[in-house]
Amino acid sequence: MKALLTGGTGFIGTHLIDLLLAQGTEVHVLVRNPDKEPALLKKKIQLLRGDLFSIPALPAGIRYT
């Protein structure tokens, strides 16, 4: 499964990333500033730089509405 997460630099988001990774989910995280949470750079996730007003091209297989 693939997941796209917004708010990954926040308290809940960082814990949700860990939960998804533990379940074997491929995690893509939309972040404005990855430097805000340096621990994200150490995790096996894909960072997408942008925000809800300027979403970058999403990886294949991610469905959204």
Side-chain angles (χ1 to χ4, degrees), residues 8 10-11 18-19 22 25 28-30 35-36 39 44 51-58 60 62-63 65:
F11 178 78
D18 292 337
L19 176 67
T25 302
H28 301 266
V29 182
L30 182 65
D35 298 328
K36 182 177 177 184
K44 293 185 177 187
D51 58 35
L52 293 176
F53 298 106
S54 61
I55 298 175
L58 299 177
I62 292 184
R63 297 184 332 211
T65 58

Side-chain angles (χ1 to χ4, degrees), residues 4-65:
L4 173 65
L5 179 66
T6 62
T9 58
F11 178 78
I12 294 172
T14 55
H15 292 286
L16 184 55
I17 289 170
D18 292 337
L19 176 67
L20 290 168
L21 289 174
Q23 294 176 348
T25 302
E26 182 179 319
V27 180
H28 301 266
V29 182
L30 182 65
V31 293
R32 283 181 273 181
N33 183 4
D35 298 328
K36 182 177 177 184
E37 184 59 46
L40 281 181
L41 302 175
K42 298 176 185 175
K43 298 183 182 197
K44 293 185 177 187
I45 61 173
Q46 301 296 317
L47 292 177
L48 301 170
R49 293 173 194 240
D51 58 35
L52 293 176
F53 298 106
S54 61
I55 298 175
L58 299 177
I62 292 184
R63 297 184 332 211
Y64 64 94
T65 58

